[in-house]
Amino acid sequence: MSILTVRNLNKSIGKKQILSNVSLDVKQGEIMGLLGPNGSGKTTLIRTIVGLVQKDDGEVNIGGENIQSQFSRAISQVGAIIENPEFYDYLTGYQNLVHFARMNGALDEKRIDEVVELVDLSPAIYSKVGTYSLGMRQRLGIAQAILHRPALLILDEPTNGLDPAGMKELRIYLRKLCDEEGVSILIATHLLKEIEALCDRVAIIQRGKVIAIQEIRTTASNERVTVNITAEPLEEVKAWLKGAEYAMQVVNNDVIVHMQYQDIPVLTKGLVEAGLRVYRIEPLAPSLEDSFLALTGGNENDELN
């Protein structure tokens, strides 16, 4: 089941086509990445999804509700951080959350306590936000965005300005949020490593077009893969593989074998039972960076984001 459905979305400014026939889905309970360089249309797409930018044509549905004809019901299912979250620095984190909760309905102190614990801000929640680090502000922003229990959380470049430790912390809290609250997450970023570390699927966008949507974490059992084998003695390893009719090549004293993913345990057992010293058997899946560069040509010169 999809919590977000985008179909054939188009947006232009003057003669510049910013979004061109964009279609994608975010499934219930998944973290979906939207990957593209600055200028690829990520932010325009997100702003269009939440109704901040008027589309030319196409359709956006959130939880089965049309964002244009049923805006209130659709947007009530969304929490979003677009650019940096803004707070009153002279108020505490808790006071900011109380203020936001009152603006958006009845105050639920139990829910505030829940989201504060979820993003691990309990030790600092009664300190003024002006004393918070950027990472703490991002986590407070997430707490604010999920106060009303949204089905979909949308984040635009949430790791901007964070150091590596802050990025790692944010990944932990987002995965926790997805697993414990069942929230689907759409995260737009230009950082490939963040997508690989966090997301289940990724949509690659270039010049306003979604040019590919691919899985990050799954490998089908019948898929052909390239396997790197480090084992000794090398000549005996080669002889065994040749006798077992594996297609192979030798690179820097390692053996590269092309085979079915489901046959890796059979290969491993055979080498060990032959008395060979096996140090490593590693499937070499193409990285997201390889896929991205192959799809985009590694060149992006758009000016709009």
Side-chain angles (χ1 to χ4, degrees):
M1 177 181 175
S2 296
I3 189 63
L4 170 68
T5 303
V6 177
R7 289 290 177 269
N8 306 316
L9 200 64
N10 290 283
K11 176 63 183 178
S12 60
I13 299 177
K15 295 182 180 180
K16 179 73 173 180
Q17 190 76 26
I18 309 303
L19 300 175
S20 181
N21 202 36
V22 171
S23 295
L24 59 84
D25 298 275
V26 177
K27 300 174 184 176
Q28 189 169 9
E30 79 167 342
I31 301 180
M32 176 81 167
L34 181 63
L35 176 65
N38 293 330
S40 59
K42 300 187 303 297
T43 296
T44 300
L45 175 56
I46 283 178
R47 288 178 174 269
T48 305
I49 288 172
V50 299
L52 294 175
V53 170
Q54 183 65 41
K55 60 184 173 60
D56 295 337
D57 54 67
E59 188 171 337
V60 177
N61 289 288
I62 301 171
E65 307 287 354
N66 186 278
I67 194 67
Q68 187 166 7
S69 62
Q70 300 155 322
F71 179 79
S72 294
R73 290 203 296 268
I75 207 65
S76 68
Q77 302 177 68
V78 179
I81 301 177
I82 299 175
E83 299 178 349
N84 293 324
E86 296 294 334
F87 302 104
Y88 295 105
D89 285 353
Y90 59 88
L91 297 179
T92 68
Y94 190 85
Q95 288 170 330
N96 271 277
L97 293 179
V98 167
H99 178 69
F100 183 80
R102 285 174 173 160
M103 289 175 60
N104 291 272
L107 175 62
D108 184 345
E109 293 183 357
K110 182 179 178 182
R111 178 58 179 168
I112 292 177
D113 292 339
E114 288 175 355
V115 298
V116 167
E117 183 177 352
L118 189 67
V119 299
D120 197 22
L121 271 179
S122 297
I125 199 62
Y126 295 107
S127 299
K128 290 184 178 181
V129 171
T131 67
Y132 281 19
S133 68
L134 182 56
M136 292 166 68
R137 294 177 73 97
Q138 290 286 57
R139 283 150 52 195
L140 185 62
I142 292 171
Q144 176 179 290
I146 63 172
L147 267 176
H148 63 299
R149 294 183 174 86
L152 175 66
L153 178 62
I154 298 177
L155 305 173
D156 184 21
E157 300 282 2
T159 59
N160 272 358
L162 295 182
D163 60 20
M167 291 182 183
K168 183 177 180 180
E169 284 184 355
L170 186 61
R171 287 199 303 268
I172 291 170
Y173 300 129
L174 291 178
R175 177 51 66 180
K176 184 179 179 182
L177 180 64
C178 184
D179 294 342
E180 295 186 8
E181 294 255 319
V183 178
S184 302
I185 300 174
L186 176 63
I187 177 171
T189 182
H190 63 281
L191 301 175
L192 292 97
K193 295 299 183 184
E194 288 304 298
I195 294 288
E196 285 185 313
L198 180 62
C199 296
D200 303 301
R201 290 190 304 144
V202 60
I204 298 174
I205 185 169
Q206 181 188 37
R207 297 186 178 93
K209 298 180 180 180
V210 172
I211 58 175
I213 296 177
Q214 66 183 60
E215 302 281 343
I216 298 293
R217 301 182 184 279
T218 60
T219 303
S221 62
N222 61 350
E223 184 178 335
R224 287 194 65 80
V225 294
T226 301
V227 177
N228 185 73
I229 302 171
T230 305
E232 294 177 345
L234 181 58
E235 291 304 317
E236 293 182 26
V237 172
K238 289 164 57 180
W240 185 90
L241 291 169
K242 183 177 180 181
E245 299 184 345
Y246 284 102
M248 64 177 172
Q249 61 187 108
V250 178
V251 178
N252 297 327
N253 293 322
D254 286 349
V255 182
I256 307 299
V257 175
H258 305 284
M259 59 185 299
Q260 301 292 116
Y261 182 79
Q262 63 188 4
D263 291 337
I264 292 176
V266 176
L267 170 67
T268 305
K269 182 180 179 182
L271 289 170
V272 172
E273 289 183 345
L276 302 169
R277 300 190 297 276
V278 179
Y279 299 102
R280 180 180 62 164
I281 296 180
E282 178 184 14
L284 301 177
S287 69
L288 181 57
E289 182 177 12
D290 294 334
S291 298
F292 179 80
L293 292 176
L295 288 164
T296 65
N299 184 28
E300 180 69 43
N301 297 311
D302 292 355
E303 297 176 357
L304 291 172
N305 193 35

